[in-house]
Every structure is written in structure tokens, then in C-alpha cells.
Amino acid sequence: QVQLVESGGGWVQPGGSLTLSCVASGFTFGSYGMSWVRQAPGKGLEWVSDINFLGGRPRYADSVKGRFTISRDNAKNTLYLQMDSLKVEDTAVYYCAKGGQNTYDRISPGRQGTRVTVSS
């Protein structure tokens, strides 16, 4: 059973930084591309970034390009998202997902994710 547990969210002022982590279990982590997806208050899911199974070819949504960095440590079954120069519009619940931009697994309604709040 696929399990993905996100952490690292919190409150930060505009311009600040946070690093999110996602620990994976229940599947061969190093064999799959992974994504970060977010849901802002009152809005639908937005794909943020993905990375291939080897940790290469990172891709980013235009809204975060140049500010966010995705990475992974296959030895630790962990996916990361370094978020710099945060903006108020980055406020959302962030989820990691198995798969790439157009193939990531459905985010089930019961997933907790990790909440990021950017405000002054």
C-alpha cells in the first residue's frame, strides 16, 4: 500500500523559505517519478513540480519556476521541495504524489498533506 507522509509546512513571511519533505513507503520509490501538488484555499489541485526516478529532469510550474527546487534521496525514500522567495499566493496544502505531471496518482480526500501559510 502506497504511503506518502509530508512534513515541513508552517507559517512564513513573504520572502521567506521552507523545505518540505515527503517520506514514501509501500512501493519501490527509486523506480518512479514523483511530483509535488498543492491546493490553495477554495481552489483545485495545482501541479507544482516533478522529478524523474533518478533525480534528474526537474520541471516546474511557471508560478514557482526560479523559486522552488525539487530533489530526492532514493536511499532515504524521501522527496524534497525547497521553497524560497515565498509569496502569499504560495499559501496552500502541499502533497507529494507518485508519478509525473500528467500521471500522478489521485490525491485521496483523506490525505493530510502539509500546510504552508505565507502572510505578514
Side-chain angles (χ1 to χ4, degrees):
Q1 181 180 355
V2 173
Q3 284 198 319
L4 299 165
V5 179
E6 302 89 349
S7 63
W11 175 83
V12 64
Q13 292 185 329
S17 298
L18 283 174
T19 300
L20 307 184
S21 299
C22 168
V23 178
S25 61
F27 66 103
T28 306
F29 179 74
S31 295
Y32 290 89
M34 295 292 295
S35 289
W36 284 100
V37 180
R38 68 185 181 185
Q39 186 166 26
K43 297 188 177 180
L45 286 170
E46 177 191 15
W47 172 83
V48 173
S49 179
D50 67 11
I51 192 168
N52 74 10
F53 69 105
L54 289 175
R57 297 187 179 179
R59 299 187 297 180
Y60 302 93
D62 288 344
S63 57
V64 307
K65 200 172 293 183
R67 300 187 298 117
F68 289 12
T69 304
I70 190 171
S71 63
R72 65 191 295 164
D73 185 338
N74 287 347
K76 295 182 179 180
N77 283 5
T78 302
L79 180 73
Y80 302 99
L81 187 67
Q82 172 69 39
M83 306 187 296
D84 298 315
S85 302
L86 281 160
K87 302 177 180 180
V88 171
E89 50 264 42
D90 294 319
T91 295
V93 178
Y94 285 72
Y95 304 93
C96 62
K98 180 165 71 73
Q101 179 181 9
N102 298 310
T103 62
Y104 64 84
D105 290 349
R106 173 178 170 269
I107 306 296
S108 62
R111 286 275 304 277
Q112 187 171 0
T114 189
R115 184 176 301 274
V116 173
T117 303
V118 186
S119 73
S120 53

